[in-house]
Amino acid sequence: MSRPGGWWERKSTPAKFETYTRWSFHLLALTELSVAGGMLIGQVGPRLAVPLVSMAALHSVVCGVTASRALDWQRGQRDRPVRTLWVFGVTTAVMAVAALVVARHGQGDDDVAGAAGGVYGIVMIFGAGAAGVCVRGRRRVSAVTVGFAAAAGATSVGVGLPWLVALVTSLFVLAGGGFFAFTYAFSAWLLNAVYELDDARETRARLAVAEERLRFGRDLHDVMGRNLAVIALKSELAVQLAQRERPEAVTQMVEVQRLAHEAQREVREVVRGYREADLAGELAGAQGVLSAAGIDCTVTGPATGFPAPVQSALAWVVREAATNVLRHGDPRRCAMELRVREGHVVLTVENDGAPAPGGSGARGSGLIGLRERLAEIGGTLRAGPAGDGLFLLTVEVPLPAHPGEAPPAAVPVPAPAREATSVPVSEATT
C-alpha cells in the first residue's frame, strides 16, 4: 500500500511543474465562476441569477478544457485543437451577447443591469485569458487581447449602450484580459523551459559518457595500433621465411609472441587505469554535480589514507550512488559520510525523495555490479528505504590488519546461501 503523497513524489520535477500549471489553469477557470457568482448574489432575484450563474459555469468549464488542450499543443503532445477553439469562441460570443442583452434590457433596474454587465465583462476577460494560451508569441497574445477588448466595446455600442460605457468596458477587458492572457502564455512558456532544461541536463550527462568512451577509445587505439601493425608485419615475414624453410622464421614468431604479451600487458594497464577511480575526486565530483542539480549535498569524514583497492571500490560506490540520486526520485538533500569503525571503512549515502518500491528503477544492474566488486575485497552493501521518504545506502569494507596488505577477500558462498543473504531492495534505485 503506497503512503499518502506517493504519487506526487514519484513525479519528476518537470512533471510536478506541469501538474501545478494545469491545476492553476483549472483554478483560474473556477475563479470566473466564483467572481460571477459573487456579483450576482444579493443583486438579482433567483429567476435571473440562475441562468446567469449557469452561463458563467458553462463558460468556465469551456475555458478550462480549452486551456488544458491548448497546453498539450504548446508542449507538442497533440495537434492544435481547432474544434475546441471553435467551441470556445462560439460559447464565449453567445454568453457575452446574452449577458449584454440582459444588461441592456435591465436598465430599469440598476442592480440587474450592473450584475449582468459584470457577468459580460467577466466572460470577456477570462475568455481573453484562455485565448492567450491558444497562440504563440507575444505579438499574437497582444493581438488576441486587443481583439477581445475591441469586440467588447463594439458589442456594447451595438446593443445601444452609451459610448462612454462601451469605452470603459473595452478598457476593463483590455486590462483584465491582458493580465490573464499573459499569465496563461507565460506559464506555458515557463513549462516548456523547465522541460528543455531537464532535457539539457540529460544531454549533458550523455555527452559526458560519450566523451569518456571516446577518450578510452583513443587510449586503446594509441596502445594497440603500433603493436598490432608490428605483429602483422612480423607474422607476414615469418610466413614467407617458413615457406622458404628459413630458420629465421622461428625468431620472428618468438618476436610476435613477445609483442603479443606486451600488447596484452599494455591493454590491462589501460583498462586498470580506466576502471580505477580516486575516492577524494569522486566525492568532490559528486558534491559538485548534485549541488549543480539543486540538491544540498554534504560530505564528511576522511577520504584518503586507505589502501588502493578500498579507495577504488568506494569511489565506484560514490559514483553509482550520485547517479542514482540524480536519476530516481526528487531529492533535495544528500549526505555522504565516511568513517572507520572496528577495522572497517563504512560509507553511508542518505538522501530524501526515495522512489516507491517497485518503481521505474527496480531490478537494475548498477548495485549488483557494485556488490560483485565489493565482494572481491570482502565488502558488503546494503540499500533500501529508511523511512520518512529517505533512502540509505551503506557499504562496509574491511581494512588490512597490517599496512601494505590487501583487504581480505570474501569467502565464496554456496548458491542457496547467497540467495538467502541478498538484499532484495538494493536494486531499487538503479
Side-chain angles (χ1 to χ4, degrees):
M1 182 177 180
S2 60
R3 55 192 176 85
W7 69 274
W8 176 259
E9 295 180 358
R10 287 193 296 269
K11 290 178 175 290
S12 63
T13 299
K16 289 180 179 179
F17 190 80
E18 180 176 357
T19 303
Y20 166 78
T21 302
R22 291 185 181 277
W23 280 104
S24 298
F25 286 2
H26 297 329
L27 289 177
L28 283 176
L30 291 177
T31 302
E32 176 184 4
L33 176 60
S34 62
V35 173
M39 298 179 63
L40 295 172
I41 294 177
Q43 300 295 323
V44 297
R47 183 177 180 182
L48 188 58
V50 170
L52 289 176
V53 171
S54 299
M55 288 193 307
L58 177 61
H59 188 258
S60 66
V61 171
V62 172
C63 286
V65 173
T66 302
S68 181
R69 294 188 177 182
L71 185 61
D72 291 337
W73 168 67
Q74 293 276 7
R75 288 281 303 117
Q77 298 175 350
R78 62 177 300 161
D79 296 333
R80 193 169 190 174
V82 178
R83 293 182 178 179
T84 304
L85 294 179
W86 274 107
V87 173
F88 163 74
V90 171
T91 302
T92 301
V94 170
M95 299 298 178
V97 171
L100 196 59
V101 168
V102 172
R104 177 69 179 85
H105 292 282
Q107 286 185 345
D109 189 339
D110 293 339
D111 291 338
V112 173
V119 171
Y120 168 73
I122 292 299
V123 168
M124 294 298 291
I125 287 174
F126 282 89
V133 77
C134 300
V135 295
R136 290 172 177 165
R138 292 176 296 177
R139 294 183 178 179
R140 293 182 178 180
V141 175
S142 300
V144 167
T145 305
V146 172
F148 267 82
T155 308
S156 300
V157 173
V159 297
L161 291 177
W163 280 94
L164 183 59
V165 174
L167 179 60
V168 172
T169 302
S170 180
L171 294 177
F172 185 64
V173 172
L174 180 63
F179 172 77
F180 285 110
F182 278 95
T183 299
Y184 275 103
F186 179 76
S187 298
W189 173 85
L190 191 59
L191 178 61
N192 285 327
V194 169
Y195 271 102
E196 289 175 1
L197 288 175
D198 188 68
D199 292 340
R201 186 176 66 175
E202 293 183 0
T203 301
R204 183 177 62 181
R206 289 194 297 267
L207 289 176
V209 173
E211 183 179 356
E212 183 65 15
R213 289 176 177 172
L214 289 174
R215 185 196 67 80
F216 179 70
R218 289 194 300 267
D219 292 347
L220 194 61
H221 176 270
D222 293 342
V223 169
M224 294 295 296
R226 181 188 65 84
N227 288 336
L228 290 178
V230 175
I231 288 174
L233 290 174
K234 287 188 172 293
S235 299
E236 293 176 1
L237 179 58
V239 170
Q240 295 178 5
L241 292 173
Q243 290 174 349
R244 299 174 185 176
E245 298 183 354
R246 298 282 297 275
E248 291 87 348
V250 177
T251 303
Q252 295 298 326
M253 290 307 300
V254 171
E255 183 67 13
V256 168
Q257 185 181 27
R258 186 192 66 80
L259 288 172
H261 286 300
E262 180 69 16
Q264 186 180 26
R265 182 186 62 81
E266 292 180 353
V267 169
R268 287 176 178 174
E269 290 180 355
V270 171
V271 174
R272 185 181 299 111
Y274 177 75
R275 290 172 65 87
E276 290 181 355
D278 177 65
L279 178 57
E282 288 298 331
L283 286 171
Q287 187 175 25
V289 170
L290 294 178
S291 298
I295 301 171
D296 182 19
C297 180
T298 59
V299 177
T300 56
T304 58
F306 304 121
V310 175
Q311 288 226 28
S312 178
L314 292 178
W316 277 96
V317 172
V318 171
R319 180 180 297 182
E320 180 68 21
T323 303
N324 290 338
V325 171
L326 286 173
R327 291 177 57 188
H328 306 294
D330 187 20
R332 295 178 177 84
R333 180 185 62 82
C334 178
M336 300 184 182
E337 181 182 6
L338 272 167
R339 63 182 184 275
V340 179
R341 183 181 64 188
E342 299 178 355
H344 289 72
V345 182
V346 181
L347 169 66
T348 59
V349 180
E350 183 182 79
N351 64 276
D352 58 0
S360 60
R363 308 304 301 174
S365 60
L367 294 182
I368 296 177
L370 289 180
R371 185 177 292 109
E372 294 175 353
R373 181 185 294 271
L374 291 168
E376 296 176 359
I377 57 176
T380 59
L381 182 148
R382 299 187 303 274
D388 296 331
L390 299 177
F391 192 90
L392 179 64
L393 183 146
T394 305
V395 172
E396 293 189 20
V397 178
L399 291 173
H402 302 285
E405 294 183 0
V411 178
V413 181
R418 183 179 294 113
E419 293 177 359
T421 57
S422 62
V423 182
V425 296
S426 61
E427 293 85 15
T429 60
T430 306

